[in-house]
């Protein structure tokens, strides 16, 4: 079961690090221009906060497991990322984004829930 946790957490870490760094590195206008139309309704500071939450959550998925220091933080990070993805789904639905925009948030949210359950069971 711990191998499955590592696999899921590794995939989630890559996805959330990429998404979070993207939001931290780009301006609001650049994010909107890259296809994130939902970002129009958020102040730049909120977009940076979302990006920071994704990066911190991604690190929280791996570092506690890798170091063995308070490994219960890993499923807690997964639970928090699932909540972030529930918010993402709500935002996409409110903006009437196409299914291809909503689906990644649903998949990442579901994988975050799987990671949380695996983590709480395995640890």
């Amino acid at each position: 079961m711990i191998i499955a946790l590592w696999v899921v957490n590794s995939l989630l870490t890559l996805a959330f690090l990429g998404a979070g760094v993207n939001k931290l590195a780009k301006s609001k206008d650049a994010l909107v221009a890259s296809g994130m139309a939902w970002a129009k309704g958020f102040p730049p500071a909120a977009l940076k906060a979302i990006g920071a939450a994704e990066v911190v959550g991604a690190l929280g998925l791996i570092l506690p497991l890798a170091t063995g220091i308070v490994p219960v933080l890993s499923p807690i990070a997964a639970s928090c990322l699932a909540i972030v993805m529930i918010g993402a789904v709500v935002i996409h639905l409110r903006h009437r984004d196409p299914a291809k925009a909503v689906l990644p948030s649903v998949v990442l949210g579901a994988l975050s829930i799987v990671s949380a359950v695996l983590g709480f069971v395995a640890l």
Side-chain angles (χ1 to χ4, degrees), residues 3-121:
I3 293 172
L5 179 62
W6 270 103
V7 170
V8 171
N9 281 9
S10 297
L11 294 173
L12 284 172
T13 296
L14 290 174
F16 281 113
L17 268 179
V21 168
N22 186 38
K23 289 179 188 81
L24 288 172
K26 290 184 178 179
S27 68
K28 176 181 177 175
D29 294 333
L31 290 172
V32 172
S34 71
M36 295 185 188
W38 60 267
K40 289 179 193 175
F42 286 85
L47 296 173
K48 300 300 180 195
I50 293 168
E54 290 174 341
V55 169
V56 170
L59 295 175
L61 291 172
I62 293 294
L63 291 179
L65 292 177
T67 62
I69 300 172
V70 196
V72 73
L73 290 177
S74 182
I76 291 171
S79 301
C80 293
L81 287 170
I83 292 167
V84 170
M85 288 297 99
I86 290 168
V89 169
V90 169
I91 294 300
H92 285 300
L93 292 176
R94 282 188 180 169
H95 284 86
R96 293 186 171 87
D97 288 339
K100 68 179 182 179
V102 178
L103 187 61
S105 298
V106 171
V107 170
L108 288 175
L111 283 175
S112 295
I113 292 168
V114 168
S115 171
V117 171
L118 282 173
F120 284 124
V121 170

